[in-house]
Amino acid sequence: MDKYVDKQVFRMNLAEELETLDPAFAGSRTRIWMTAQLFNGLVSLGPDLNIEASLAHRWEILPDGLTYRFYLRSDVYFQDDSCFASGKGRRMTADDVVYSFTRLCDPAVGASGFWIFRQKIQGLEAFRSGEASSISGFAAIDDTTFQLVLAKPFPPLLGLLAMPFTYVVPEEAVLHYGEAFAFHPVGTGPFKLYRWRQGQSLIMHRNPSYFEQRKGRSLPYLDAVSVSFNASRLTAFINFTQGQLDFIGDLDLSYKDEILNLDGSLKKAYADQYQFILAPQLNIEFLCFLMDPTVDIRKGHPIEDRRIRQAINYAIDRESLVRYLLNGMGYPAHAGIVPKGMPGFDEKLVKGYAFDPAKARALLTEAGYPGGKGLAPITLHSTAKYAHISEFVQKACEQVGIQLEIQNMEGGALRNESKESRLHLWRASWIADYPDPENYLSLLYGQNFSPAGPNRTHFSDPAFDQMYARSQSITQDSLRFRLYQQMDHLAMEEAPIIPLYYDRSFRMLAPHVNGMVSNPMYH
């Protein structure tokens, strides 16, 4: 007899492989989604990216702006597992938070999530170098009080602490399973691992000891989550329409025309059968200019002239791009580098570029290239996957007299060449790591030049950098967001990038699924 008969089982497919369930390595969407079912952090993100309580029921920031004190729930237990002496999960305490955060920073672990604490935590460098056996910035004041001390102010910290990298793990499990902890996760989350056959299926069962409740009822509502791993999104979509899956979270371009109208709405045949959630997702697709005047390949190149960079921006009809190439699966990027859906986003205050071919031609004439005469071709480097986007931009530029030549590269090579400042113009994207505009504006900060930092355009502006530095000491969101908007607007005037579109997340649900929401981080 099927053990899941009369049980509430949520069935979904993941197109990407799942290599680990260790939260310290949860950098991909698949890992984020799965570890979020098994573990918890001090805080979490709500539907509007507001910071919500989780393992910590409240917190405070001390007047120095560096010290954060988290008051933990006393009713949270790790899931039952043989790693514990009795096989019974014990209560989670502040010592577990200290252990988990220290493990994330341990060079011997080599956690991919370490970057979130790099250069931010008091005593971190002494620990990393072996001068200290612990990190002074992480402390258990008592069983239910955890204290974190920053090396310097960083207002987006709470957003970082909502990331899966900081989920709390028990030392017993890590020691008991060793490297195999990646396949035997033990956490405090709403579900616990039942069975995982890599590349085939994963099943999680309800954690009966989970601490959260809604309206007097214990969570989770589901009895189990069943995950298949099929790389073909088309096959997964067919399985969904045949009733074998309850959820589709990816849209393959091969069938977008079948189910979506040009404005992004669901065609009637599907709208009558399924639920549909389309919402902002924190990602921007854009093109980058090399802005560094000290790099030899840029000297004498047309993109040195701001008017040429602005002309290309004005030449692109972003509404048509989103409508005809994406079937509405995006938002035209008429603001700056900070995407729609991010707290503080305001395209009325951050003026980017609208479609204005007459303005583009006027700028070319002003730059000394009337009708594009005498303007050398500009090479756009991209990948074959985004050829349709590149060709759209190429044709848009031709209409105003700018000749673009497209050169496709393998993705890794493109990232490396742009990182080493070997390209003039290239395609890029940035998915938010945490819900604060600083995550995007750091891409344009003068102290973050690649290859050491994320600023691959090598854009540098004294006024921008001064505002960026000032924003790091402003803890009040509304004041900090206003400064972010000024920075974004200033950068767009200099046009170091060409924002194309901001992403929209796509979700289709079976009619019997209730209560699912999508936040802009796509959690």
Side-chain angles (χ1 to χ4, degrees):
M1 181 178 177
D2 188 342
K3 66 186 297 182
Y4 294 110
V5 170
D6 298 325
K7 298 291 185 180
Q8 293 269 21
V9 181
F10 185 74
R11 302 162 301 166
M12 61 182 291
N13 179 74
L14 293 173
E16 301 171 2
E17 290 186 14
L18 180 64
E19 303 90 351
T20 177
L21 285 169
D22 184 340
F25 296 86
S28 69
R29 187 175 73 180
T30 294
R31 297 180 189 185
I32 290 170
W33 280 8
M34 295 299 99
T35 55
Q37 314 311 316
L38 303 164
F39 300 89
N40 296 97
L42 294 175
V43 296
S44 62
L45 295 176
D48 298 321
L49 300 182
N50 49 306
I51 303 296
E52 297 185 343
S54 187
L55 297 179
H57 63 84
R58 70 181 180 91
W59 54 89
E60 60 180 343
I61 305 173
L62 273 58
D64 63 4
L66 300 174
T67 306
Y68 289 69
R69 199 164 286 166
F70 296 88
Y71 300 93
L72 310 181
R73 299 178 63 121
S74 58
D75 59 348
V76 178
Y77 288 80
F78 287 110
Q79 298 152 0
D80 293 348
D81 190 87
S82 59
C83 70
F84 300 112
S86 63
K88 185 75 173 175
R90 62 165 176 80
R91 186 167 70 89
M92 187 236 23
T93 70
D95 285 327
D96 295 306
V97 184
V98 173
Y99 170 77
S100 301
F101 285 15
T102 303
R103 175 177 180 262
L104 183 63
C105 299
D106 189 342
V109 175
S112 60
F114 162 66
W115 67 267
I116 69 170
F117 285 145
R118 183 187 288 117
Q119 298 179 340
K120 295 183 179 72
I121 307 299
Q122 183 186 89
L124 177 59
E125 303 312 315
F127 172 78
R128 295 275 295 179
S129 65
E131 297 175 18
S133 59
S134 61
I135 300 172
S136 60
F138 300 145
I141 306 301
D142 55 41
D143 273 3
T144 58
T145 309
F146 169 74
Q147 182 169 286
L148 182 151
V149 183
L150 293 169
K152 56 184 178 181
F154 187 71
L157 177 70
L158 291 173
L160 284 180
L161 296 182
M163 296 180 70
F165 295 132
T166 66
Y167 287 163
V168 176
V169 303
E171 184 175 8
E172 296 96 323
V174 176
L175 294 178
H176 180 77
Y177 291 112
E179 291 185 0
F181 177 69
F183 312 101
H184 296 275
V186 180
T188 60
F191 296 93
K192 57 182 181 178
L193 182 64
Y194 172 70
R195 185 177 67 222
W196 179 16
R197 294 173 178 166
Q198 279 192 278
Q200 299 180 44
S201 64
L202 181 147
I203 297 174
M204 294 176 283
H205 285 178
R206 181 179 184 273
N207 174 12
S209 301
Y210 189 56
F211 60 90
E212 281 196 275
Q213 291 189 343
R214 296 274 171 85
K215 298 179 180 179
R217 182 179 173 187
S218 296
L219 295 181
Y221 299 140
L222 297 168
D223 295 299
V225 175
S226 176
V227 184
S228 59
F229 295 89
N230 192 322
S232 170
R233 289 180 171 85
L234 179 58
T235 300
F237 176 70
I238 293 172
N239 290 341
F240 173 78
T241 60
Q242 293 175 343
Q244 299 172 33
L245 296 173
D246 301 306
F247 163 78
I248 288 288
D250 289 296
L251 178 66
D252 192 281
L253 293 178
S254 65
Y255 58 83
K256 67 179 177 63
D257 292 331
E258 177 185 345
I259 63 174
L260 291 177
N261 295 310
L262 293 179
D263 63 357
S265 60
L266 205 63
K267 289 189 174 178
K268 191 175 187 304
Y270 291 95
D272 289 345
Q273 298 183 62
Y274 307 108
Q275 301 178 70
F276 182 54
I277 302 174
L278 193 62
Q281 182 179 350
L282 296 185
N283 178 55
I284 178 176
E285 300 288 334
F286 60 111
L287 306 181
C288 296
F289 291 107
L290 180 61
M291 299 290 289
D292 194 339
T294 67
V295 178
D296 286 341
I297 66 167
R298 188 175 181 272
K299 294 175 180 177
H301 195 277
I303 64 170
E304 278 191 317
D305 193 324
R306 179 178 67 173
R307 294 167 295 191
I308 302 299
R309 302 193 301 270
Q310 291 177 332
I312 298 176
N313 265 291
Y314 280 120
I316 300 169
D317 184 351
R318 293 163 175 81
E319 283 89 353
S320 293
L321 186 158
V322 167
R323 182 177 179 84
Y324 297 110
L325 271 63
L326 306 177
N327 283 58
M329 287 301 297
Y331 302 93
H334 290 311
I337 194 170
V338 176
K340 185 179 179 66
M342 177 68 79
F345 173 85
D346 191 332
E347 56 188 347
K348 294 180 180 178
L349 295 176
V350 180
K351 298 296 183 182
Y353 294 88
F355 178 48
D356 192 340
K359 179 68 173 176
R361 295 187 185 96
L363 284 166
L364 285 179
T365 300
E366 186 180 323
Y369 304 104
K373 292 180 181 178
L375 181 64
I378 299 171
T379 301
L380 167 60
H381 288 85
S382 185
T383 62
K385 180 180 178 180
Y386 291 90
H388 59 305
I389 302 291
S390 301
E391 291 167 4
F392 183 93
V393 173
Q394 181 186 48
K395 291 176 182 177
C397 287
E398 286 177 358
Q399 296 298 313
V400 300
I402 300 172
Q403 184 179 348
L404 281 189
E405 295 178 349
I406 299 171
Q407 184 172 334
N408 288 326
M409 309 172 67
E410 187 274 327
L414 179 66
R415 289 188 291 272
N416 185 64
E417 292 294 288
S418 63
K419 183 178 180 180
E420 298 294 336
S421 300
R422 298 190 185 118
L423 307 176
H424 295 113
L425 176 63
W426 66 94
R427 180 226 158 242
S429 66
W430 189 268
I431 300 174
D433 298 303
Y434 46 91
D436 192 280
E438 184 273 343
N439 189 216
Y440 285 88
L441 296 168
S442 67
L443 305 182
L444 300 175
Y445 180 45
Q447 299 299 312
N448 285 345
F449 277 16
S450 63
N455 183 351
R456 299 189 179 188
T457 66
H458 285 205
F459 172 75
S460 181
D461 182 278
F464 181 98
D465 289 352
Q466 287 172 13
M467 286 189 284
Y468 182 93
R470 194 159 76 249
S471 72
Q472 300 300 287
S473 61
I474 301 175
T475 57
Q476 187 174 334
D477 286 349
S478 59
L479 296 178
R480 195 170 73 256
F481 291 164
R482 182 67 183 116
L483 200 58
Y484 287 154
Q485 292 157 359
Q486 293 173 26
M487 293 161 59
D488 208 357
H489 179 70
L490 182 155
M492 288 309 101
E493 289 183 333
E494 292 299 318
I497 67 168
I498 302 172
L500 296 175
Y501 62 92
Y502 310 124
D503 257 0
R504 297 177 100 176
S505 62
F506 169 89
R507 297 186 178 198
M508 283 182 71
L509 307 172
H512 54 267
V513 176
N514 297 302
M516 176 174 278
V517 296
S518 177
N519 73 17
M521 290 290 289
Y522 205 36
H523 291 176

